[in-house]
Amino acid sequence: TLPALLAPLLIATLGLLQAVAHAQTDAPTDPAAKRRFPTASLRGEMVVTAPPEILMDDRPDRLSPGARIRDTENRMVVSGALANRRVVVNYVRDHMGQVSEAWILTPEEARERRRGLFDIITNYNTNSTPAHPDDGKTPYDQLPAYGK
């Protein structure tokens, strides 16, 4: 009868309203809130030339398949929309060395210190004196000796 026919419609409508209400609570956070980037992310200047081809710090690079780019408000951006625009980003590489995630930075975020492509990550210094150059005529007993 009529109530039996309306019950499924009422349940579907309530489910839809609940989904809409839930979507509204998941709205973007306060714009003043600080975004958190992965610890392993690097800083660079990205230019999308012909997707998936990019320039990262003026060097040829590539976006990985399915790469995610987020704008300053944390919304997804397609790479084609950034064609020939120079943007400062924090980015992460995948296991193939391609850029898999990038976040376009606000001016405030860009001022924060972060490792970049040209940073020296490890600098080895042994404090040893340089070895005598061997011109091929050095007697054997005058060659540098290495401790055991």
Side-chain angles (χ1 to χ4, degrees):
T1 67
L2 190 57
L5 294 174
L6 290 178
L9 181 61
L10 181 61
I11 291 171
T13 304
L14 290 175
L16 182 61
L17 290 175
Q18 181 183 5
V20 170
H22 182 66
Q24 290 175 352
T25 60
D26 287 345
T29 57
D30 178 20
K34 188 173 179 178
R35 292 193 288 179
R36 294 184 184 167
F37 303 106
T39 307
S41 64
L42 301 170
R43 173 75 44 84
E45 206 172 57
M46 181 175 77
V47 178
V48 178
T49 53
E53 302 298 324
I54 62 172
L55 294 175
M56 188 61 76
D57 294 322
D58 294 325
R59 294 182 182 185
D61 213 331
R62 189 174 180 89
L63 293 171
S64 68
R68 293 181 300 230
I69 303 172
R70 297 183 186 272
D71 67 4
T72 56
E73 296 175 8
N74 232 21
R75 296 177 299 200
M76 298 291 281
V77 178
V78 292
S79 57
L82 299 173
N84 299 318
R85 280 185 48 206
R86 187 172 294 273
V87 291
V88 178
V89 297
N90 283 351
Y91 64 96
V92 176
R93 295 185 179 276
D94 64 6
H95 65 283
M96 297 292 291
Q98 298 174 339
V99 175
S100 61
E101 289 189 83
W103 295 266
I104 300 172
L105 303 179
T106 64
E108 296 81 34
E109 292 170 336
R111 283 192 289 272
E112 293 176 7
R113 299 251 327 131
R114 169 113 9 208
R115 270 187 18 220
L117 180 64
F118 300 110
D119 288 349
I120 297 173
I121 297 169
T122 305
N123 185 5
Y124 292 101
N125 185 357
T126 61
N127 292 326
S128 62
T129 57
H132 184 286
D134 183 16
D135 58 1
K137 300 177 184 172
T138 306
Y140 180 77
D141 61 333
Q142 293 178 12
L143 289 174
Y146 298 99
K148 294 183 180 182

